[in-house]
Amino acid sequence: MVSQPMTQPVTMYGIPNCDTIKKARSWLSDHGVDYIFHDYRNNGIDQALLDDLIERAGWPALLNRAGTTFRKLPEADRADLDRERAAALMLAQPGMIKRPVLLAGERTEIGFKPDRYAALFG
């Protein structure tokens, strides 16, 4: 099934060697969805983009607390997080941002679930 093209650009944010990113990119390609891929590690993330993502999804949804990068932080850095502290962590180490983050028009998807992508692009 090929979806109807979106009228607004689709951008995926993540890290190319991530297994979930690979699955999401395959899904988009298999369904004929054109998108731009932004690699956090090579291209970084700036404060304005991070602020936009936090505004769209909330910092708790964006922060990957289960990831190795976050778990290796000292306990003091992981405790008592708020928007400002979480944003500083994600800005300094974009690997702490859950992936993928998909922006499709006004919609924002965090993580990859085929049924959610199908609803978005179907």
Side-chain angles (χ1 to χ4, degrees), residues 28-114:
L28 292 173
S29 294
D30 291 348
H31 291 83
V33 178
D34 291 329
Y35 66 95
I36 298 163
F37 182 73
H38 180 98
D39 180 347
Y40 290 134
R41 291 238 168 100
N42 288 331
N43 302 324
I45 184 168
D46 62 26
Q47 186 71 54
L49 174 58
L50 183 59
D51 286 343
D52 181 50
L53 297 178
I54 290 171
E55 184 68 29
R56 288 171 170 256
W59 71 264
L62 282 175
L63 183 63
N64 184 5
R65 295 172 191 247
T68 306
T69 305
F70 183 81
R71 289 180 305 173
K72 286 184 177 180
L73 289 174
E75 178 59 34
D77 290 344
R78 291 183 281 148
D80 301 321
L81 289 175
D82 59 14
R83 184 190 194 283
E84 184 179 322
R85 291 187 64 221
L89 289 173
M90 291 185 279
L91 195 58
Q93 297 185 58
M96 283 192 229
I97 301 171
K98 285 185 185 172
R99 39 195 191 268
V101 174
L102 187 78
L103 303 184
E106 295 302 313
R107 293 280 309 268
T108 304
E109 291 292 330
I110 309 294
F112 172 63
K113 301 277 188 222

